[in-house]
Each structure stands twice: as C-alpha cells, then as structure tokens.
Amino acid sequence: MGRRYVILDVFADRSYAGNPLAVVLDTEGLDAAGMQTIAREFNLSETVFLLPAEGDGRKARLRIFMPHKELPFAGHPTVGAAVLLGLLTGVGSKEEGAFEVEETVGVISCRVRLANRTSGRASFTLPRLPEPAGEPPTVAQAAAALGISPDEIGFDGHAPSRFSAGNPFTFVPVKSADAVARVAANGVLWPEAFGDDRNSAVFVYTRETVDSANTYHARMLEPAITEDPATGSAAAAFAGVVMAFDAPGDGPHAVRIEQGYEMGRPSLIELGLEILGGALASATVGGGAVVVAEGTLLS
C-alpha cells in the first residue's frame, strides 16, 4: 500500500534551513521494525509516524525514529508534527491553537499558530523537566575528544555538564564561536570522554552568536549521525544548564539558541523558562516549520 509522507524543515522560517523531518501519515499495519526500515530509508535525523491517539481528545500518537533507533521523545519532531497537524486540521489558522499529542515519554501539550498554508510556528511544554544525567567528562577529556585546547573550554562559570529531559546530552561550554567552528569529533577519544553507546551526544555552545538577538550559538555532535542542524531535545535539557550556571531570577525568561550554521542550515530554537521560587517550574521549546515536499512511499 502507498503511505503518504511530508517533509518539513523545522526550527526555520524558510525552506532549506533548519532540521529536515519526515512525517509518515499512513501508518496502518506498520510495526516497529517496519517504521525503523522506513526511517533508515529517509536517513534523516528523525522520522515521525502519526498514529491514532490512545487518549480521548488528543490529536495523535507520535513514534519517533532515528535511522538506527527509536526515541521516547525529541524536540524537532514534536514541533514539526505539531505544525503539520495544525495544517491538516486547521488548528491555529485564525489564532493560536492548543492540543495534546502522545509520545513514549508522556502526553505533550502543544501550541500552534499557522502563518500560511505551508508553514507555521509551534511550541510544546516539556513533559519532563531536565535533571542531571551523570558525571560529565573532565575539561581535558572533552577538549581532546573535540579537537580543541583545554583553555578554550568554559566561560562565566559554565563547565561541562550532563542533563536529560528525556534524552541525555553532554554540554560543553566553549569560549568563542571560532572554537565552536573548529570542533571535530575524535572517534578514538570520544568513548572515554562521552561514552561508547549511541547516547553519547554532545552539545557544544558559546555566548558568541552570529545574530546578536540570540543568546547562544551551538553545535550538536553524535557518533551515529555525525552532526545535527537543530536539536530540540538538547534545547530542552539545556534548560538544566541555564539553571545551573546562569541562575535566572523568578519570572519568565526567553533563551534563543542558534544552531546549524556550520552545516549551512541555520536554525533557531526558542527555549522558554518559567522560574518560581528560584526553581524551574516549567519550560517550553518552540520554533518555525515549513513544508518542503510531499509524496507517497510505494510499499
């Protein structure tokens, strides 16, 4: 049977930027092995499969696959799928609309505002707030695995850390955008610094940005996919970094993370924080998404 699919560029407001996402609409009869096969065929960082929701009133159940494994949660698939669901159902066409989707990590609340018939913006509330995810590498280990000097790591009290809001990441602060651009994964030293499994993703970040309106400039490297142009689940976990090292005061805060520039796919992830009593009460991740292609899988 034919299976309809849509390709979107996520965390971007124009085509051929941001992070590409495949969304498969016709999923009847597909098991996990079949979904994994299709995800390998697309060979994008993630592919989403839309299934009927199990709970009343929810828009859909999302299963998210990288080419090599299924994920319990991911940010750019959630944003892209939310915009597409808005486009398919009309939610968000006249004013911002809200609905819930289901992922393995839990029920996720989304908000959508459409710009036109092929694009819009979406945000979601983190279903799980970030928490520490184990001991980070030493500065020397991180520097060696990333191909930069130890004295290029750290700024304003920021040090390597590990957090997870569903997917674990190692966060490495770097003093300059130049150092971020020179980062290159050393496959031999990577396991010692960041782990030897397929959850050894590293988010390198600096305060030096291309756009002065943004807060941080970042790259995400992971052995299985080499580099990712925009990583929503890393931005979700990055809320833990902000809380640990920036100590924002009570009230709302907006953190704008630019990513993908070194890959020629500039992206913008908007991280919203709500601080209450010095603690993170809630957080959102959002951005734009644009439909770039539609088609049918023939089998």
Side-chain angles (χ1 to χ4, degrees):
M1 64 175 288
R3 299 186 187 277
R4 293 178 300 145
Y5 68 87
V6 177
I7 305 291
L8 302 98
D9 285 337
V10 184
F11 293 125
D13 58 6
R14 60 182 175 85
S15 301
Y16 313 119
N19 198 349
L21 173 73
V23 183
V24 179
L25 303 176
D26 298 319
T27 57
E28 183 179 357
L30 274 178
D31 59 10
M35 294 179 193
Q36 189 69 76
T37 297
I38 291 172
R40 281 197 299 267
E41 181 67 19
F42 280 118
N43 201 34
L44 299 174
S45 57
E46 282 109 6
T47 296
V48 175
F49 296 84
L50 294 186
L51 293 87
E54 295 178 343
D56 292 341
R58 297 171 187 154
K59 281 293 181 193
R61 180 162 62 98
L62 278 55
R63 293 189 67 175
I64 303 169
F65 286 78
M66 298 177 73
H68 64 285
K69 66 176 181 180
E70 184 173 5
L71 295 175
F73 159 74
H76 108 272
T78 303
V79 169
V83 169
L84 182 58
L85 286 166
L87 291 170
L88 292 173
T89 63
V91 173
S93 58
K94 295 182 179 179
E95 59 184 11
E96 186 179 65
F99 53 78
E100 293 180 331
V101 297
E102 301 166 353
E103 297 183 18
T104 302
V105 75
V107 177
I108 297 180
S109 299
C110 302
R111 303 194 70 84
V112 177
R113 183 69 172 96
L114 303 181
N116 51 47
R117 294 194 302 174
T118 59
S119 67
R121 303 184 66 78
S123 65
F124 63 88
T125 301
L126 269 58
R128 181 184 302 173
L129 292 178
E131 54 189 19
E135 286 296 317
T138 66
V139 167
Q141 288 174 323
L146 294 171
I148 58 177
S149 170
D151 62 13
E152 293 180 293
I153 292 179
F155 61 80
D156 300 340
H158 283 242
S161 60
R162 282 182 59 83
F163 287 92
S164 174
N167 296 326
F169 292 88
T170 300
F171 294 93
V172 179
V174 174
K175 288 183 171 66
S176 69
D178 174 69
V180 171
R182 287 187 282 106
V183 162
N186 184 315
V188 175
L189 299 178
W190 194 274
E192 180 183 354
F194 306 121
D196 58 2
D197 61 15
R198 290 184 170 184
N199 289 321
S200 57
V202 176
F203 200 71
V204 181
Y205 66 96
T206 182
R207 287 201 201 275
E208 287 192 2
T209 58
V210 175
D211 186 335
S212 61
N214 297 334
T215 317
Y216 290 101
H217 179 87
R219 292 176 68 186
M220 199 289 279
L221 295 90
E222 199 243 351
I225 61 172
T226 307
E227 186 165 357
D228 196 37
T231 317
S233 56
F238 192 73
V241 174
V242 175
M243 293 301 299
F245 299 111
D246 291 339
D250 282 5
H253 297 267
V255 179
R256 294 164 58 91
I257 303 169
E258 60 181 40
Q259 190 183 334
Y261 283 75
E262 291 78 7
M263 303 176 67
R265 297 196 64 96
S267 310
L268 178 62
I269 306 171
E270 298 169 342
L271 173 63
L273 309 177
E274 187 66 40
I275 314 300
L276 182 63
L280 181 62
S282 65
T284 61
V285 170
V290 182
V291 173
V292 296
E294 300 179 38
T296 304
L297 295 166
L298 300 181
S299 61

